[in-house]
Amino acid sequence: MRFRILGPMEIEGSPGPGVSYTPRAAKLRVVLGALLVRSGEVVSVEALTDELWQDDPPRTATTTLQVYISQLRKQLNTAQDGFGREALVTRQPGYVLRLEPDQLDLTRFEALHASGRQALEAGDFARASALQRQAIDLWRGPLLSDTPHGPALDAAAVRLEEAGVAALEQRVRADLELGRHRDLIAELQSVTTRYPLREEFHGHLMLALFRAGRQAEALHAFGQLRRTLVEELAIEPGPALQQLHRRILEGDAGLLVDEAAPSGAVTVSQARGRPVALPAADPAFTGREDELARVVHLLTSSPAGTCVAVAGMPGVGKTALAVEAAHRCAEAFPDGRLFVDLEPEPGRPLTAAQALTRLLRRAGENGPLPEAVEDLRDALHTFLAGRRLLLVLDHAGSEAQLRPLLPTGEGCRALITIRRTPASLAAVRTVSLAPLPTEAAGALLAAVSGGGPGEVADAARQPAPAAADPGAAALLEVAGLCGNLPLALRSAAAQLTARPHWTPQTLAARLRDARDRLDALRVGELDVREVLLTGCAAATAEQQRSFRLLALLPDAPFELGPAAAVLGLGTDAAGRVVEGLVDARLLEADDSGRYRFHPLLRLLAAELLARHEPEDSTRDSAGRLAEAYADTVASAGPSATAGTGLAALVGVLRTAHAHGAWQAALRLADTLSGGLESHAAWHSWRTAHTLGLDAARRARDRAGEARMLRSLGDLAWQQRELTRSEELYEAAVRAARGCADDHEHGRALVGLVDVRLDSGAYVEAGALLDTALGSLPDRSPARFDALRAGALLALDLGDEATATARFTACRDLATALRDRRLEAYARRCLRRLSDMPREPEPAVEVRPGVWRLREAA
């Protein structure tokens, strides 16, 4: 039996063709159609019910469906005795129709389409064209055009319509590569009318017209498409079509072919047996003159057998540099230059046999080729013998993939792009690429988006962005937010090109939010996240996990100690892991022995951490990191929090808190106290100790709660928020009482003493001070604080002798504690007392570096 559903339903039975056994009843065709589009799969009763009646099934739906199945079996039995009973089988939770692949036109189409696509990828264009033509010829109209569609058939119709269009596009592409452009023009004019928004067909029409000598018509076709897109969708044609338009406008002879040519965006010419198959040079290429000069020098002056590799992280511009170098090396390789993408689809690298086949096809070998890798390699070496030819091998995945492809002849060279340095290939010289310098990044962004590179360069040389032209300064900001990564710059530029109503300032504003930046850097087929993911996917499982865990580190260069804490490893083991990530181009290393993320890779690592790492693992890592930094601060003292280190430490605290590492977050908040106060870092102080307070409460640590409340009270007091500080000190007193922490209880009371002194409540201040001194140990900074407050109280009461005695006790205690800051404060106070004029001073240093104005009498 034969079933045809690519068009109206048709069934032919054993009596032969011409006799139809198609059910006349629409409901029976619906059931049979739903089973046919999922041939070999179980289709549930629920799905068939939805297909028949959608949202309004009758009460007898299940029974009625059973009747339809019984009628279908009888109908199929009439076409071929017993076929219905054998092929249409009940399988829980529904039914399955079992067919051989050649019994259904849909399965034949899918097989032919897949084989044609593989042939196209392998460079066998004649076979690709023939197979896709056979696949297209199976279509007689829309899927099951005579049958009512429910949700499943609707979805299948959409999917198969897209597959049919893809088959047509691939057949046209193969025919173009075979030089059949004149025969395609009329067909493509019809196809572009049928699919007015499918840019690939318009591109094929433009190319066919140009190759047929009809340049003006090719440009007119582009103009018509552009008007349609602008008027209907308010967008411009994509970058690939714009580049083709530009090349046609320039009359680029590289677009012309006289015989079989390679696939994709590669341009081919065959001149006097010297094959050239290279992508067009990038007109916006910029900023790589030193690296480019090195690559060209290595290609043209290295000894025989040497290969050159361009290595770097995904999106850094390896392919653009390799293509530019290949174009500049034309004179050194007069017998040809061949380009092969070794991973044409992300995650699907070519096998050695596929890559060798493509190279030979692009070299002009149109006859039958062997299948074994060894035979294909011999064929390639035979072709290369005695020639001076360059092979450009793009997106190499590994040394094992490369070995069979590398030329060994005297005059041939290979130029490779690869993420990792191919260390095991001794004859390879590697040029590593980093993101562009700021000025070059701005120039590339301006050139691709149509801005002025000169103005951007001028802005980059200004002492401050504000001094430059606002538009140029905004482009530089966009470049910085893109991490100066060429792929991200091109994606950003494509958005400015596609949206003329956007200014550079608009784009910069959209990129500032780090949480949405990778989403904002996706336009059309340019998806920065997907390209970066390819680099991550190529790493080992251990490296991928380490990559995402290291996103917990502060956003700054880091050393091995913090990395080891995050990973839960010793320093040596962490060093091996981190160096492995550097080799995989997922981290960068500098000459000082520190490591860092590229900004966009850091965003990706954070996304992957949130998506894939178990919360308990993340919590443990964040806790270990906070503990490690707490140890560092505790050993180094307040100096550890100086400068930018303070912001990073607060970031670590925030991370530990966000992931529920309460005790570690509280400990880090505690160790930051001295540095926060000594540097008067009020904003960081409030943030750190508010988080610490919440962590203490979540950990049910009453002593920690008391410490954080008292510290926040100190901050409010210094900021002269006296009502707020009093509330916090009183809450600290209650918390300290609740856990019988006499030391913290005394410190909170001293805070209340300072508040009372500010308000002139001297009697109450004295009572609080007596209680505080009774609970504080003799040798502690807290007792120093109490003695300081007592000296100030005496000073306010006019008792200079008592004030002197207490400041002297402060000095002696600070000396015993070896705290130079407190000792210097006590000595300053004693010196002022000894030199005190008859009139009171207008201000008093009430704490180290904190002054209080006296009220006028």
Side-chain angles (χ1 to χ4, degrees):
M1 291 188 65
R2 296 289 185 270
F3 296 82
R4 290 198 288 272
I5 59 175
L6 299 179
M9 182 182 290
E10 291 183 1
I11 303 173
E12 292 182 352
S14 54
V19 180
S20 177
Y21 296 91
T22 306
R24 294 183 178 180
K27 294 291 188 184
L28 291 183
R29 292 200 303 277
V30 170
V31 176
L32 182 56
L35 293 167
L36 285 168
V37 296
R38 294 179 59 184
S39 174
E41 300 178 29
V42 176
V43 184
S44 69
V45 169
E46 182 181 1
L48 290 170
T49 301
D50 287 345
E51 198 66 26
L52 285 163
W53 296 290
Q54 286 80 59
D55 297 328
D56 190 26
R59 288 178 299 169
T60 60
T62 302
T63 303
T64 304
L65 176 59
Q66 291 170 349
V67 171
Y68 290 159
I69 293 293
S70 177
Q71 291 176 354
L72 279 176
R73 286 193 178 114
K74 291 177 182 179
Q75 184 99 17
L76 297 175
N77 285 338
T78 62
Q80 182 176 318
D81 188 32
F83 182 83
R85 293 188 303 274
E86 296 172 1
L88 183 49
V89 181
T90 302
R91 287 285 183 272
Q92 289 299 327
Y95 305 93
V96 58
L97 183 59
R98 300 183 300 196
L99 301 176
E100 295 298 326
D102 62 346
Q103 288 184 283
L104 179 63
D105 60 351
L106 171 56
T107 53
R108 294 202 302 279
F109 164 77
E110 290 176 328
L112 288 165
H113 178 37
S115 297
R117 182 176 62 249
Q118 292 170 1
L120 186 65
E121 291 172 353
D124 192 345
F125 305 116
R127 176 174 166 76
S129 174
L131 288 169
Q132 297 292 12
R133 193 179 301 276
Q134 292 176 51
I136 295 165
D137 287 346
L138 292 171
W139 285 82
R140 298 167 292 109
L143 177 77
L144 291 168
S145 55
D146 63 341
T147 302
H149 287 198
L153 289 182
D154 269 340
V158 171
R159 175 179 66 83
L160 290 168
E161 168 69 13
E162 185 63 27
V165 174
L168 175 61
E169 190 276 329
Q170 290 168 24
R171 196 223 82 212
V172 169
R173 196 192 323 169
D175 284 346
L176 277 171
E177 301 291 0
L178 291 167
R180 298 171 179 169
H181 38 271
R182 294 185 185 277
D183 298 332
L184 287 169
I185 291 174
E187 180 185 10
L188 283 169
Q189 287 172 334
S190 173
V191 170
T192 52
T193 301
R194 195 183 340 153
Y195 302 108
L197 302 180
R198 301 291 291 244
E199 292 190 23
E200 62 268 41
F201 287 124
H202 290 273
H204 293 332
L205 175 59
M206 291 164 60
L207 188 57
L209 288 166
F210 179 70
R211 287 178 175 174
R214 298 157 67 174
Q215 181 182 16
E217 291 177 70
L219 296 172
H220 179 69
F222 177 83
Q224 284 186 315
L225 171 64
R226 183 181 181 277
R227 281 191 295 275
T228 300
L229 294 176
V230 170
E231 290 172 3
E232 295 191 14
L233 302 176
I235 63 172
E236 294 283 341
L241 209 63
Q242 291 192 41
Q243 184 182 40
L244 177 61
H245 172 255
R246 184 163 55 246
R247 296 183 65 192
I248 291 174
L249 192 63
E250 295 168 354
D252 189 345
L255 293 174
L256 301 175
V257 294
D258 296 322
E259 51 186 347
S263 61
V266 176
T267 62
V268 178
S269 63
Q270 291 281 91
R272 299 183 301 278
R274 297 173 181 175
V276 177
L278 286 176
D282 184 356
F285 183 85
T286 186
R288 297 288 193 196
E289 289 305 319
D290 290 344
E291 297 94 333
L292 182 61
R294 177 162 171 75
V295 171
V296 170
H297 174 74
L298 289 171
L299 286 173
T300 55
S301 63
S302 297
T306 302
C307 301
V308 179
V310 179
M313 65 176 287
V316 80
K318 302 182 292 294
T319 300
L321 179 72
V323 169
E324 185 70 20
H327 279 283
R328 296 197 187 188
C329 287
E331 293 184 4
F333 300 101
D335 293 320
R337 289 157 291 150
L338 302 178
F339 178 98
V340 171
D341 189 344
L342 298 180
E343 190 175 348
E345 296 181 35
R348 296 181 60 184
L350 299 181
T351 64
Q354 289 173 325
L356 286 164
T357 298
R358 288 198 177 196
L359 278 172
L360 288 165
R361 292 297 184 201
R362 296 190 176 185
E365 296 289 343
N366 294 317
L369 293 174
E371 296 184 359
V373 172
E374 295 79 6
D375 296 335
L376 287 165
R377 183 177 182 180
D378 290 343
L380 177 63
H381 288 175
T382 299
F383 172 79
L384 296 177
R387 295 176 184 260
R388 295 170 62 191
L389 188 141
L390 176 65
L391 304 182
V392 183
L393 306 174
D394 194 30
H395 294 135
S398 65
E399 289 92 331
Q401 184 192 35
L402 281 171
R403 282 192 183 92
L405 311 177
L406 300 181
T408 57
E410 177 68 28
C412 296
R413 298 286 184 275
L415 175 55
I416 304 157
T417 70
I418 190 169
R419 283 188 293 273
R420 297 171 179 264
T421 300
S424 67
L425 298 177
V428 173
R429 303 292 180 264
T430 302
V431 176
S432 294
L433 294 189
L436 290 166
T438 299
E439 183 177 337
L444 173 61
L445 185 60
V448 177
S449 64
E455 294 177 5
V456 174
D458 292 341
R461 289 188 288 268
Q462 292 289 338
D469 172 74
L475 283 178
L476 286 174
E477 182 185 0
V478 169
L481 292 169
C482 291
N484 293 348
L485 188 69
L487 177 71
L489 296 171
R490 291 179 181 276
S491 178
Q495 298 195 54
L496 290 176
T497 302
R499 301 178 176 93
H501 56 287
W502 279 20
T503 64
Q505 292 91 326
T506 305
L507 182 57
R510 289 175 177 266
L511 293 175
R512 285 185 193 122
D513 189 341
R515 295 169 298 180
D516 299 328
R517 191 173 303 158
L518 290 176
D519 286 329
L521 288 172
R522 179 176 59 213
V523 55
E525 295 183 354
L526 279 173
D527 189 336
V528 174
R529 178 189 283 108
E530 287 302 315
V531 173
L532 296 180
L533 278 171
T534 62
C536 188
T540 66
E542 179 190 13
Q543 288 175 331
Q544 291 182 38
R545 181 171 184 269
S546 300
F547 171 69
R548 57 183 183 254
L549 283 175
L550 290 173
L552 293 168
L553 291 168
D555 187 6
F558 61 89
E559 297 178 343
L560 282 180
V566 165
L567 300 176
L569 299 172
T571 304
D572 290 343
R576 289 190 292 272
V577 171
V578 170
E579 285 295 336
L581 292 173
V582 173
D583 292 341
R585 307 290 173 172
L586 295 175
L587 284 179
E588 301 170 0
D590 60 29
D591 295 337
S592 67
R594 298 191 298 174
Y595 304 88
R596 61 180 178 272
F597 280 99
H598 183 273
L600 299 183
L601 279 174
R602 180 182 178 81
L603 296 181
L604 179 67
E607 284 187 4
L608 297 176
L609 179 75
R611 192 181 308 156
H612 298 300
E613 193 67 19
E615 182 53 38
D616 57 347
S617 171
T618 307
R619 181 178 61 250
D620 292 345
S621 290
R624 289 193 301 268
L625 181 64
E627 291 283 0
Y629 275 109
D631 290 341
T632 299
V633 175
S635 62
S639 61
T641 62
T644 56
L646 183 58
L649 289 166
V650 174
V652 172
L653 170 57
R654 192 191 305 276
T655 298
H657 178 275
H659 293 287
W662 310 125
Q663 288 292 356
L666 175 58
R667 180 165 178 249
L668 181 55
D670 272 328
T671 58
L672 291 177
S673 297
L676 292 167
E677 182 171 2
S678 64
H679 294 295
W682 287 355
H683 176 73
S684 295
W685 187 349
R686 184 183 302 276
T687 299
H689 283 188
T690 300
L691 292 171
L693 176 60
D694 185 68
R697 286 170 172 167
R698 290 175 183 268
R700 301 180 184 278
D701 186 333
R702 291 285 281 171
E705 182 181 354
R707 293 194 299 277
M708 294 297 102
L709 285 166
R710 188 263 311 157
S711 175
L712 289 169
D714 289 346
L715 173 62
W717 179 81
Q718 289 198 25
Q719 293 181 304
R720 312 315 293 153
E721 298 173 359
L722 298 182
T723 301
R724 174 66 175 155
S725 68
E726 184 175 18
E727 292 172 351
L728 288 164
Y729 285 139
E730 288 175 347
V733 168
R734 291 192 296 271
R737 283 176 184 160
C739 62
D741 187 337
D742 291 342
H743 178 267
E744 198 56 47
H745 178 256
R747 296 194 70 180
L749 288 175
V750 172
L752 285 173
V753 169
D754 282 324
V755 174
R756 298 296 182 267
L757 289 177
D758 282 329
S759 63
Y762 300 128
V763 174
E764 189 176 349
L768 289 169
L769 185 60
D770 290 342
T771 304
L773 285 169
S775 62
L776 292 171
D778 291 337
R779 290 172 61 91
S780 71
R783 189 167 189 85
F784 176 98
D785 225 20
L787 291 170
R788 169 197 60 78
L792 293 172
L793 174 61
L795 197 60
D796 283 345
L797 295 174
D799 187 350
E800 295 181 10
T802 301
T804 299
R806 286 178 173 171
F807 276 131
T808 301
C810 283
R811 180 199 62 197
D812 295 343
L813 179 55
T815 302
L817 293 173
R818 297 182 179 180
D819 190 323
R820 293 182 178 179
R821 175 170 168 267
L822 296 182
E823 183 181 355
Y825 166 75
R827 291 185 183 281
R828 286 196 300 273
C829 292
L830 287 170
R831 188 164 53 252
R832 290 191 187 93
L833 276 172
S834 63
D835 298 339
M836 182 176 289
R838 294 181 181 179
E839 295 295 327
E841 289 184 321
V844 177
E845 188 179 10
V846 292
R847 292 187 187 180
V850 181
W851 294 77
R852 182 182 69 199
L853 292 174
R854 289 181 181 274
E855 293 185 5

